[in-house]
Structures are given as C-alpha cells and as structure tokens.
Amino acid sequence: MTNIAVIAGSVREGSYNRALAELAADSLEAQGARVTRIDLGAFDLPLYSAAIEAGAFPPDALRLKTLFAEQDALLFVSPEYNGSLPPLLKNAIDWASRPTGDEGLVALTAYRGKAAAIMSASISPFGGLRGLMHLRQILSTVQMLVIPEQVVVPNAHAAFAEDGSLKEPLPASLVEMTAARLVAVAGALAT
Ligand code: FNR
C-alpha cells in the first residue's frame, strides 16, 4: 500500500488549510492510500539553528524526519504568508532536511526521489498561488518530484460548507484529481 503523509502548514483553530488538508486526506484514502495526518502543532520544533543542532538534534525534529522518511509521498497544504510559506512549515521542512546519524550532508532521506503535491487555501482571490510557487521550488530543492497538478482555494472564508466540503465544484474536483495523480505517481516511483 502507498503511504502518504498530509502536512498542514497552519495550526490555527478553524484553519482553512487544515480543512482542505482533511478533504485531501479523505480523497487519498478513498483512492487506496494509507494516510498519516501530521499536525505540526504536535511537534516541538525550535527555530532551526546550527548551535541547537550541534548540541543535540531535537527529538521532535528527528521524529518528524523519521515520519517523513517512512512515506512514499508527501502532500503539503499551506497558507500563504506575505507571498511565501509560513515559517512554521519552512522550519519543519528545514529540520527534516538535515542529516542525522551517519548520513552525508545532502542525504535528504526524508525527501529524495519521492512524490509531493501542494495545495493552498487563502482568504485572497488568488488562493495562495504565490506561496505555492515558493513551496514547489523548496520541495524540488530537497529532491522531491512535485506533481504538476495543484490546488488553490480562493476566498477560503466563503469556500467551505457546514459539513467541511468545498462549495464550488472546480476546486473540489481538483482535490480529487491531484490526490489521484499523487497516489499514481507515488505508486509508480515505489515499484
Ligand atoms: C496572511 N494572509 C495572506 N493571504 C494571502 O493570500 N496572501 C498573503 O500574502 C498573506 N499574507 C499573510 C501574512 C500573515 C503574517 C498572515 C497571518 C496572514 C492571510 C491568510 O490567507 C489567512 O490568514 C488564512 O486564513 C491563513 O490560513 P489558515 O490559518 O486559515 O489555514
């Protein structure tokens, strides 16, 4: 079975991106993936510093890296902050990119050669598109294969129905399409 972690880039109560991540996780499961939902609020990650790393690798950074390393693919669902991704998510990606144990400097065991997909919900009419451009570039830098499909949910404050579903059929269908492609690509890469 294909293992996929879904990582939300917001820990805000009532977060639109967490709501979108939940829909995406459901869709991945419906398409046969084994999904791990990752709440970054459950990880005690200091802001990356070489001095902290040299002293002792933070246990939760290792826990997150190990969790990523166990996956066939990663799906990131993130807000856009000032045209980029939030420090919460960038810091998590950075910690999990660091070598541990006997690994070489650019081993990138959490990421290398795996499929990734990206989604964003934003209160703006652009749906967090600029943040996704940065996120795509960062994930490519850590040697992930980011699939071309992506999802933006604009006007997120008005986009979700009471039951958590998306009101508009277009973003809803894009979630399904992106999840299907991620499962297919992750499966193909694992063979
Ligand atoms: C934002 N927001 C925002 N939205 C956007 O579309 N483009 C942007 O550049 C920014 N910049 C930005 C900076 C900071 C510091 C904050 C706190 C917010 C608004 C953002 O879309 C909104 O807060 C979302 O609700 C955040 O996502 P969650 O927490 O609902 O998932």
Side-chain angles (χ1 to χ4, degrees), residues 72-109:
D72 298 304
L74 303 175
L75 169 59
F76 293 89
V77 187
S78 178
E80 174 180 287
Y81 278 9
N82 295 319
S84 189
L85 60 161
L88 172 80
L89 181 57
K90 181 61 163 57
N91 190 47
I93 292 171
D94 286 349
W95 271 118
S97 75
R98 299 300 297 160
T100 47
D102 295 335
E103 290 172 357
L105 191 59
V106 288
L108 295 167
T109 46

Side-chain angles (χ1 to χ4, degrees), residues 33-163:
R34 184 189 294 122
V35 174
T36 301
R37 293 162 169 78
I38 295 184
D39 172 9
L40 291 178
F43 292 80
D44 184 13
L45 299 176
L47 192 58
Y48 174 80
S49 103
I52 292 174
E53 185 180 34
F57 203 85
D60 273 14
L62 184 58
R63 186 162 68 91
L64 184 69
K65 180 184 170 184
T66 304
L67 200 49
F68 281 5
E70 290 167 355
Q71 310 301 317
D72 298 304
L74 303 175
L75 169 59
F76 293 89
V77 187
S78 178
E80 174 180 287
Y81 278 9
N82 295 319
S84 189
L85 60 161
L88 172 80
L89 181 57
K90 181 61 163 57
N91 190 47
I93 292 171
D94 286 349
W95 271 118
S97 75
R98 299 300 297 160
T100 47
D102 295 335
E103 290 172 357
L105 191 59
V106 288
L108 295 167
T109 46
Y111 304 115
R112 185 179 293 282
K114 296 180 182 180
I118 54 177
M119 302 184 180
S120 178
S122 150
I123 57 174
S124 90
F126 305 109
L129 190 58
R130 293 171 303 174
L132 288 191
M133 290 165 65
H134 285 188
L135 184 53
R136 178 175 293 278
Q137 185 180 2
I138 290 161
L139 296 175
S140 298
T141 302
V142 295
Q143 306 295 307
M144 297 202 85
L145 294 152
V146 190
I147 63 168
E149 290 85 353
Q150 64 184 26
V151 178
V152 291
V153 176
N155 306 314
H157 48 289
F160 292 91
E162 286 279 308
D163 65 1

